[in-house]
Amino acid sequence: MNFTAEAPAVWDPPFAGADDCMLSADQCIVRGWHYFVRSLIEIAVIGSDEVFSWGVWVSLSRENFSRAADLWDRPGREAEKPYFGWLTTDLPIYSPTTLDLKTRVHTRPVGERPLIELELTDHPLAVEQRTGITLDRVREIAAAVFHSSSREQQ
């Protein structure tokens, strides 16, 4: 019930050795200028108690990234106001692209990834977040993601 991107779309493997770049399980910095956090877009599965989630990366301003990093392990961080961010994960099963969708990043308790709230638009991903998806749609997403990753490995 979850698919996760390993890095923001702008990440390039050679960045791993650069002094001004960093990629961890939860945070990323590119060229000391672009800042990202791994977060979740959660979508209710209609007719069940299940939640489908996309593990995505969102860019934050330097100030908001620093603030989020300062609070990363601090109990009570969920009281923080949401941060503005841009979605920096391309989910290829959606058209148009999901890159650069506007988001609000909601900090949650320590140990939980931030929750993404997409801007209220007619983008298919934003609509699914608002209205939920069926179990058949979850299967369709799984088949598309599996098929896509199989092609990439060839």
Side-chain angles (χ1 to χ4, degrees), residues 44-64:
V45 178
I46 298 167
S48 77
D49 294 332
E50 299 285 334
V51 173
F52 175 84
S53 62
W54 288 107
V56 297
W57 291 86
V58 178
S59 68
L60 296 178
S61 68
R62 180 182 185 137
E63 295 80 11
N64 286 341

Side-chain angles (χ1 to χ4, degrees), residues 3-119:
F3 292 98
T4 300
E6 296 304 314
V10 299
W11 181 259
D12 192 11
F15 291 162
D19 291 340
D20 58 353
C21 297
M22 179 273 295
L23 176 64
S24 73
D26 298 303
Q27 300 173 345
C28 179
I29 300 172
V30 173
R31 298 292 179 213
W33 187 253
H34 302 283
Y35 304 89
F36 309 90
V37 293
R38 187 180 286 186
S39 307
L40 295 174
I41 297 173
E42 294 184 345
I43 303 172
V45 178
I46 298 167
S48 77
D49 294 332
E50 299 285 334
V51 173
F52 175 84
S53 62
W54 288 107
V56 297
W57 291 86
V58 178
S59 68
L60 296 178
S61 68
R62 180 182 185 137
E63 295 80 11
N64 286 341
F65 180 85
S66 293
R67 175 83 179 150
D70 287 346
L71 298 175
W72 202 258
D73 294 317
R74 188 175 299 167
R77 69 182 192 166
E78 62 274 15
E80 187 75 358
K81 295 183 323 189
Y83 305 119
F84 174 80
W86 296 98
L87 186 59
T88 56
T89 299
D90 181 24
L91 301 173
I93 69 162
Y94 293 99
S95 181
T97 184
T98 56
L99 288 174
D100 296 327
L101 291 177
K102 293 179 181 178
T103 71
R104 290 171 33 117
V105 181
H106 296 267
T107 306
R108 298 199 285 190
V110 173
E112 293 184 40
R113 288 216 163 92
L115 177 67
I116 298 302
E117 175 188 1
L118 294 168
E119 180 182 44

